Amino acid sequence: MDRGAEDGVATLLARAVHAAATAEERLGGAIADVFLDDAVRLDDRTRLRVRAVLAQLAGEVETVLRVQAARLLTLRDAASLAERLITNGTPVFARLNASGLLRDPALIREVIGRVQQDAIADALPPHAPEDRDRPSLLPRLLYHADSSVSAAAAALLAAESRRRGVAPVGARGSSDLPADLHRHLVWWSAAALRMGIGQVGAGAVPALDRALAEAALHAIDAHVDGDRLDAVAMRLARALDPSSSERARWLIEALRDRRLSLFIALLADGLGLSYADMRAIVLDPSGVRLWLVLRALGLDRAAIARVGLALAEADPRRDIDGFVAVLDAIMATDGAVARQALAPLLLHRDYRAALTALARGMDGAWPSWDLPG
């Protein structure tokens, strides 16, 4: 057997070993999928959209890092290395996905929340305006007498436009992630780019590492956390500073205008919760905690019914008959009792996580929140 044939056999055997390992991985994935409870399984559209958003986020950061690091290398007389960095074809998303870094719970929680929020907002039932000559909610707030309200309304319109903008993977832009998640994604992407370059001359390694690290720091410094959609929505909710009755009106109008981000922010501001925590409550298809939130804020039966019906129309996971059946029980819940039941959510998220983690290691005993009943 000649040398070429031997190499071919070795390659074929290596591919067979890899195929066997891949088949085992597929079987493991299939088993996990078969026994996954339907209540926690993502629908196909959400799963595909989550993957697309992750690819988009990684692509945006990748483009910024490639361009900035290549510029620094060119300025430092390493033009050939800069060209190699720009033209290297290994996408950052593929490397991050293969490494498992994108399975970070905080990142996935944020992206799933974003995707589900956008899907529900798009599916909210349209309502004909009571006054056809009256502008919709945010355009009307642009001309509010309070400059802080008008400025926040303009910022929210801009943030929603950026979030909804359809851009190809790799387009430059802001990740719109919280600062800590953005920082992690930037450093992961810089490392993925470094590994994707492959072998370089020994003298080029320090220059490449320095350029990528500086580009990463530049991307982190350029991230403005206050420009994110969530932060801007909270700023508008605080600027409106509504009374109890006004808050109910703004909440209904936000849903009618399909401004789910403002709806969430108004609820979060009313109870002093974070946007992320309130978003999780609003997106929960059971609705149990949301009804407590609405009672804690003093919404009446008509307002709660309108919220429940609107969300049920937008989210097929929700049980509209079940909501109608418990509406009397919801209204019978005193506002003070509802606030007491929600008290754990007012604790800092990291503190809650620490309490929960500690409790899991103590024979499954959960923290005592002194809840009613």
Side-chain angles (χ1 to χ4, degrees):
M1 184 180 296
D2 60 30
R3 186 57 178 268
E6 290 180 354
D7 290 345
V9 170
T11 300
L12 185 62
L13 291 175
R15 290 175 61 186
V17 170
H18 177 71
T22 301
E24 287 299 313
E25 290 178 2
R26 282 199 300 266
L27 176 60
I31 291 172
D33 185 65
V34 166
F35 292 100
L36 188 64
D37 194 301
D38 288 342
V40 298
R41 177 180 280 112
L42 294 176
D43 62 87
D44 291 341
R45 181 178 179 183
T46 299
R47 185 171 62 252
L48 291 173
R49 183 57 187 153
V50 166
R51 188 179 178 90
V53 169
L54 287 170
Q56 181 66 43
L57 293 173
E60 290 170 350
V61 171
E62 175 184 358
T63 299
V64 171
L65 293 180
R66 283 188 190 272
V67 171
Q68 179 68 8
R71 186 184 70 83
L72 293 173
L73 288 169
T74 301
L75 292 173
R76 294 164 185 169
D77 298 324
S80 60
L81 189 56
E83 178 66 20
R84 187 171 173 181
L85 180 62
I86 287 292
T87 59
N88 183 274
T90 305
V92 160
F93 174 72
R95 286 189 171 274
L96 295 183
N97 188 35
S99 72
L101 285 173
L102 293 179
R103 296 172 183 263
D104 177 72
L107 176 62
I108 295 300
R109 181 189 298 114
E110 175 64 27
V111 174
I112 289 177
R114 174 188 299 194
V115 168
Q116 291 181 334
Q117 176 183 320
D118 290 347
I120 291 176
D122 288 341
L124 282 169
H127 291 278
E130 296 174 359
D131 182 355
R132 294 186 179 276
D133 295 327
R134 190 186 193 195
S136 57
L137 179 59
L138 283 190
R140 194 168 74 251
L141 292 178
L142 291 175
Y143 301 97
H144 197 280
D146 187 335
S147 60
S148 63
V149 172
S150 59
L156 184 55
L157 278 172
E160 287 193 342
S161 178
R162 289 193 301 269
R163 171 74 66 86
R164 299 295 188 148
V166 178
V169 172
R172 300 182 67 178
S174 171
S175 70
D176 203 33
L177 288 172
D180 56 339
L181 293 180
H182 177 76
R183 183 173 63 253
H184 291 158
L185 183 58
V186 168
W187 286 120
W188 294 341
S189 300
L193 283 173
R194 171 65 180 83
M195 295 179 68
I197 288 292
Q199 296 295 322
V200 296
V205 171
L208 177 60
D209 286 338
R210 179 186 172 193
L212 283 171
E214 290 183 18
L217 290 172
H218 175 79
I220 291 170
D221 290 341
H223 182 74
V224 182
D225 207 45
D227 286 346
R228 296 187 303 109
L229 176 63
D230 306 357
V232 173
M234 289 296 293
R235 195 156 67 240
L236 177 55
R238 294 188 186 107
L240 288 170
D241 191 24
S243 64
S244 178
S245 60
E246 290 172 334
R247 191 179 302 276
R249 178 171 60 84
W250 286 122
L251 286 168
I252 298 302
E253 193 161 358
L255 284 182
R256 293 180 62 176
D257 208 32
R258 294 178 171 177
R259 306 291 180 180
L260 191 60
S261 60
L262 181 56
F263 176 82
I264 294 171
L266 285 164
L267 293 175
D269 177 65
L271 284 182
L273 269 64
S274 72
Y275 185 97
D277 283 337
M278 186 55 71
R279 179 178 62 192
I281 291 173
V282 171
L283 297 179
D284 181 0
S286 74
V288 175
R289 292 177 298 169
L290 178 58
W291 314 142
L292 290 176
V293 167
L294 299 181
R295 286 301 296 140
L297 291 175
L299 268 69
D300 61 20
R301 186 186 187 92
I304 291 177
R306 293 178 73 174
V307 169
L309 292 175
L311 291 177
E313 287 190 56
D315 187 353
R317 301 173 301 166
R318 296 176 189 261
D319 178 10
I320 183 62
D321 294 330
F323 166 68
V324 173
V326 300
L327 187 54
D328 287 339
I330 294 170
M331 296 311 303
T333 304
D334 182 74
V337 173
R339 280 183 175 273
Q340 185 181 354
L342 295 166
L345 289 174
L346 298 176
L347 300 174
H348 191 282
R349 172 174 286 205
D350 292 341
Y351 181 50
R352 294 201 317 267
L355 287 171
T356 300
L358 185 63
R360 284 174 176 163
M362 299 174 63
D363 299 323
W366 295 90
S368 173
W369 302 113
D370 293 326
L371 299 183

